[in-house]
Amino acid sequence: MTDRTNNFPPLPSFLKIKPCFYQNIEEEIPAPHQQLVRKVYILWMMYSGTLCMNVISCLAWWAGGGSATNFGISLLWLVLFSPCSYTCWFRPLYKAFRADSSFNFMTFFFIFFLQCIFALIQTIGISGWGTSGWIATVMFFSYNVGSAIVMLITAVLFTLVTMLMGLVLLRVHRLYRGGGGSFERAQEEWSTGAWKSAPVREAGFNAVTQTAQGPSLPQYPTAVPSYPDNSHW
């Protein structure tokens, strides 16, 4: 595993800051779940894009006569939640499917549930919270129609992202329970320390084979437990 080079986030080579994670869905995630993990990754990008659009909307809100506080808080949400959402709920889900880790599944469920609640609050759009959701948008139509239209785009995006997050939460929970996962398994991983030992959880790698082109990367075994997939999302 020492031959692997971190590749996420993709950064220009001239920067001294290097990528923090190694991500390769085709290589590390069992084939039946690659599509789901890929869709959750796209959902993370959609949420980050919505936060970017929210900054633009709050700027239009400010330009139309709104408070500058909303614009400042929207920048905070972008800087804080864009990277934290990746590390706090996408990575646990990625590692959960990669190594069949109940602890990581439970981490994902807990944090992603809180994320869904926060996304719902952002969709509602309480004034002073730095999000141009529905309440703020509808009320601002009487002050500045142009700014309110820009805000409306963000409100629609927040609504779409929140709905997709709810579907993902239900989908992953159904797969986890259908595969025999439980809170007791997560407690067992916690008590034994297996949750923090990647070599233990991923000890099923095949040996590296030597070819004329040099050594290849170790591959994950096909014996990784597979969760049932009875429907498409």
Side-chain angles (χ1 to χ4, degrees), residues 211-222:
T211 63
Q213 298 177 344
S216 61
L217 290 175
Q219 299 295 321
Y220 281 86
T222 58

Side-chain angles (χ1 to χ4, degrees), residues 51 54-62 65-78 125-133 136 140 151:
L51 292 177
N54 181 59
V55 173
I56 298 174
S57 297
C58 287
L59 180 60
W61 190 1
W62 183 17
S67 173
T69 303
N70 290 303
F71 175 70
I73 298 178
S74 69
L75 287 174
L76 176 64
W77 295 149
L78 175 62
I126 302 173
S127 181
W129 282 53
T131 56
S132 55
F140 207 68
M151 296 167 63

Side-chain angles (χ1 to χ4, degrees), residues 9-90:
L11 298 172
S13 58
F14 60 83
L15 292 179
K16 293 185 177 180
I17 302 175
K18 301 302 179 183
C20 303
F21 306 98
Y22 178 79
Q23 178 175 305
N24 190 324
I25 296 177
E26 289 76 13
E27 175 188 308
E28 296 193 307
I29 305 301
H33 311 302
Q34 289 180 3
Q35 185 178 17
L36 176 59
V37 174
R38 196 174 290 111
K39 286 180 178 179
V40 178
Y41 176 66
I42 294 174
L43 178 60
W44 169 75
M45 290 193 294
M46 288 179 59
Y47 181 61
S48 299
T50 301
L51 292 177
C52 291
M53 185 63 199
N54 181 59
V55 173
I56 298 174
S57 297
C58 287
L59 180 60
W61 190 1
W62 183 17
S67 173
T69 303
N70 290 303
F71 175 70
I73 298 178
S74 69
L75 287 174
L76 176 64
W77 295 149
L78 175 62
V79 173
L80 182 64
F81 277 88
S82 183
C84 287
S85 58
Y86 178 86
T87 57
C88 294
W89 55 260
F90 175 74

Side-chain angles (χ1 to χ4, degrees), residues 100 173-182 185 225-228:
D100 186 38
H173 183 266
R174 185 167 64 244
L175 287 174
Y176 178 66
R177 296 294 294 177
S182 65
R185 283 181 58 187
S226 177
Y227 295 94

Side-chain angles (χ1 to χ4, degrees), residues 76-137:
L76 176 64
W77 295 149
L78 175 62
V79 173
L80 182 64
F81 277 88
S82 183
C84 287
S85 58
Y86 178 86
T87 57
C88 294
W89 55 260
F90 175 74
R91 286 299 298 183
L93 180 68
Y94 184 93
K95 292 187 289 185
F97 278 118
R98 181 183 66 184
D100 186 38
S101 170
S102 290
F103 179 83
N104 281 298
F105 271 116
M106 289 299 171
T107 302
F108 166 78
F109 290 139
F110 177 73
I111 298 178
F112 196 66
F113 177 74
L114 297 179
Q115 172 71 87
C116 290
I117 294 177
F118 187 77
L120 179 60
I121 294 174
Q122 291 177 312
T123 303
I124 294 174
I126 302 173
S127 181
W129 282 53
T131 56
S132 55
W134 287 104
I135 293 178
T137 300

